[in-house]
Amino acid sequence: MSQSLEQKLQSWKNPVEMMRNAPTGAYIFPIAPEFSNWADEQEAWFKSAVLFDLSKHMTDIYFEGPDLMRLLSDLAVNTFSNFGPNKAKQIVCCNEEGYVIGDAILFGLAKNKVNISGRPSVPNWVAYHAETGDYDVTVTRDIRSVEQGGRRKTFRYQIQGPNAMDIIETAADGPVPKIKFFNIGQFRIAGKDVNGLGHGMARAKGLEIFGASEDGEAVRDALTEVGKVHGLREVGARAYSTVSPESGWIPSPFPALYTDSMKAYREWLSADGFEGSLSLGGSFYSDNVEDYYQTPWDLGYGMHVKFDHDFIGREALEKIADGPHREKVWLVWNDEDVQRIFAGMLGDGERYKYMETPGSQYSACPFDDVLLNGETIGLSTYNCYTSNVKHWFSLAMVNQAHAVDGTEVTVVWGERDGGSDKPVVERHVQTEVRALIRTERPVEG
């Protein structure tokens, strides 16, 4: 039997030390780095259209059985009064203390059959309860290709941007149904049956199209051929890593797995899986792992919390529902300070933590201190540059009292003491970057 996550933790002083010195870096997107160039690929989701290939990097776990809805209702903060076949929702799960384990997309495929797709945190949490709890639910795994290799069960493409629907409607074999947001409709492309989820990854109109994996190449060819006259660009891994911050979505919440109530789950999880391989980076330091946890409100998910059912974490969330909470904002980094960091690569001066362009995430869970008058008021995460914003920026979770548009704060960039033992982190010195809080997406393009 392989080692469990709980067993792996016994070799470390605390979970923070294990993850801060993990040998892994940022989350892997197993697609070409660029199909053309990252700058034009970014601009296309704002000005024309893009194709995001989600077929390889996400975990898909299928759940089916008569107790399915009870299982989901017991675990998710979401209501299920409006869910069923051909519906989807962003499912959010918490631990007993009300801290987020993760979020993913829940697809209603048929009566008592769903797929949960995304980073492994939520699919694994639901699978754990389905397999160890009193539920008549079967679990079928379709693990991301970077871990298992080979063909997935489905292909999954997002066609997004101002020209997205023109491309889809032209490529389709017949009329495309009007699909409401987070609803699913069926139609055909290149003689293949496909499903379309009403979803806007880049805050633009379009669909997430999915179907049987063996049909993926024919569907992709049809979409890209039609897309030639509509400015469609396929997006590579470099640009794809920046779409989430620009859209305002924090893609990898720190999974709240390390409290006493979660020990049985850690014993079930593999030491070599997603949760056991997570890396932690950034200038924010605490030996208390719970200081890295987030509530649904920290992530902008307060609207998903519905107290119309009993679920894990409900009692804790009811106590804090009226706030105050941290709020999710954008931070637009000062151009002069960013230029100073890049200039540090030249000459004999101080070397700062390198900012990989266009996305500078060097760990799966990056957290940098956000200061106001020298005091920490929040955490910055996922800094990047896009051709649409035309500045370096990041997402952040800041105290509600300070979440005021235009407020100047300071981001501490780089790790303490020259950097951690992660092999992806070069020796460097910390520095401070001025930044402006923005409560609306800072697109200038």
Side-chain angles (χ1 to χ4, degrees):
M1 180 178 178
S2 63
Q3 188 183 43
S4 71
L5 174 55
E6 180 64 16
Q7 290 171 321
K8 183 177 182 177
L9 283 170
Q10 304 313 308
S11 302
W12 294 90
K13 181 175 67 175
N14 59 41
V16 173
E17 183 185 51
M18 181 185 77
M19 288 180 280
R20 189 161 284 281
N21 295 294
T24 53
Y27 195 68
I28 296 172
F29 301 111
I31 56 176
E34 296 167 298
F35 287 91
S36 53
N37 66 84
W38 61 261
D40 287 342
E41 289 170 10
Q42 289 176 335
E43 194 171 86
W45 69 63
F46 190 67
K47 293 187 175 180
S48 55
V50 293
L51 186 152
F52 298 122
D53 186 351
L54 312 185
S55 306
K56 298 178 181 179
H57 75 272
M58 298 195 301
T59 289
D60 289 82
I61 301 185
Y62 296 82
F63 301 88
E64 185 173 11
D67 292 336
L68 174 63
M69 296 310 297
R70 179 168 65 88
L71 170 68
L72 296 174
S73 183
D74 286 349
L75 301 180
V77 306
N78 313 73
T79 184
F80 288 93
S81 63
N82 56 356
F83 182 76
N86 287 326
K87 299 282 188 179
K89 64 171 62 233
Q90 188 172 12
I91 181 174
V92 179
C93 295
C94 293
N95 67 9
E96 291 281 5
E97 292 74 29
Y99 293 110
V100 172
I101 292 169
D103 68 291
I105 303 300
L106 173 68
F107 293 84
L109 302 179
K111 183 179 180 181
N112 293 327
K113 182 178 181 180
V114 301
N115 173 33
I116 301 179
S117 181
R119 298 200 177 188
S121 299
V122 168
N124 285 346
W125 177 242
V126 179
Y128 163 69
H129 285 277
E131 293 179 347
T132 65
D134 183 23
Y135 300 98
D136 185 0
V137 174
T138 60
V139 178
T140 304
R141 290 171 171 80
D142 187 18
I143 307 302
R144 63 195 187 122
S145 58
V146 72
E147 295 178 20
Q148 71 168 7
R151 173 174 279 178
R152 304 293 302 277
K153 291 182 180 296
T154 62
F155 72 84
R156 193 177 302 277
Y157 307 138
Q158 285 188 351
I159 312 298
Q160 307 286 329
N163 299 340
M165 290 310 302
D166 288 339
I167 294 168
I168 294 168
E169 289 170 356
T170 303
D173 295 345
V176 176
K178 299 296 182 183
I179 302 173
K180 295 180 180 179
F181 183 68
F182 263 49
N183 281 249
I184 302 169
Q186 288 73 41
F187 53 102
R188 290 173 67 83
I189 294 178
K192 311 298 184 182
D193 292 326
V194 301
N195 303 277
L197 168 69
H199 177 44
M201 180 77 174
R203 286 196 171 189
K205 62 184 179 179
L207 297 177
E208 180 173 307
I209 297 172
F210 60 99
S213 62
E214 58 268 25
D215 297 336
E217 187 173 348
V219 173
R220 184 176 191 149
D221 287 347
L223 290 167
T224 54
E225 181 62 29
V226 169
K228 290 177 181 178
V229 299
H230 293 280
L232 177 72
R233 287 184 183 268
E234 296 183 70
V235 174
R238 296 184 71 183
Y240 183 74
S241 69
T242 67
V243 67
S244 299
E246 186 179 303
S247 297
W249 176 55
I250 296 175
S252 192
F254 188 90
L257 307 178
Y258 301 97
T259 43
D260 290 342
S261 65
M262 301 291 283
K263 182 178 179 180
Y265 184 46
R266 295 194 301 272
E267 291 173 337
W268 182 85
L269 285 168
S270 168
D272 299 325
F274 172 79
E275 296 83 354
S277 303
L278 280 177
S279 59
L280 181 63
S283 61
F284 176 74
Y285 277 72
S286 174
D287 287 333
N288 181 4
V289 69
E290 294 187 8
D291 289 340
Y292 295 89
Y293 290 178
Q294 293 110 45
T295 71
W297 290 275
D298 295 339
L299 299 165
Y301 296 157
M303 61 184 176
H304 295 311
V305 180
K306 303 297 181 185
F307 299 118
D308 61 355
H309 64 294
D310 291 325
F311 58 89
I312 293 176
R314 173 176 172 165
E315 183 177 349
L317 292 175
E318 284 181 317
K319 292 178 180 178
I320 64 172
D322 293 332
H325 306 287
R326 288 187 296 185
E327 291 190 11
K328 183 177 64 175
V329 298
W330 287 268
L331 300 180
V332 178
W333 293 24
N334 180 274
D335 290 344
E336 292 181 357
D337 291 347
V338 170
Q339 291 165 5
R340 174 173 50 81
I341 292 171
F342 279 103
M345 294 188 294
L346 308 174
D348 298 325
E350 298 280 17
R351 182 169 74 173
Y352 306 113
K353 178 71 191 75
Y354 177 58
M355 293 170 64
E356 177 73 35
T357 307
S360 194
Q361 305 90 42
Y362 58 91
S363 66
C365 297
F367 294 104
D368 292 313
D369 260 317
V370 179
L371 309 178
L372 182 63
N373 300 323
E375 299 292 328
T376 297
I377 63 163
L379 301 177
S380 171
T381 187
Y382 291 95
N383 65 314
C384 66
Y385 171 89
T386 74
S387 300
N388 305 313
V389 176
K390 292 186 170 62
H391 302 281
W392 279 83
F393 65 97
S394 60
L395 288 172
M397 300 161 286
V398 301
N399 297 340
Q400 192 171 48
H402 302 301
V404 178
D405 192 76
T407 300
E408 183 173 280
V409 296
T410 299
V411 177
V412 181
W413 175 242
E415 298 189 328
R416 291 182 183 176
D417 303 322
S420 59
D421 289 339
K422 288 188 294 296
V424 297
V425 176
E426 74 282 9
R427 299 301 89 191
H428 64 275
V429 298
Q430 284 186 325
T431 190
E432 294 186 348
V433 178
R434 292 166 289 174
L436 294 179
I437 290 177
R438 293 301 183 199
T439 56
E440 299 290 337
R441 183 168 67 146
V443 170
E444 292 185 0

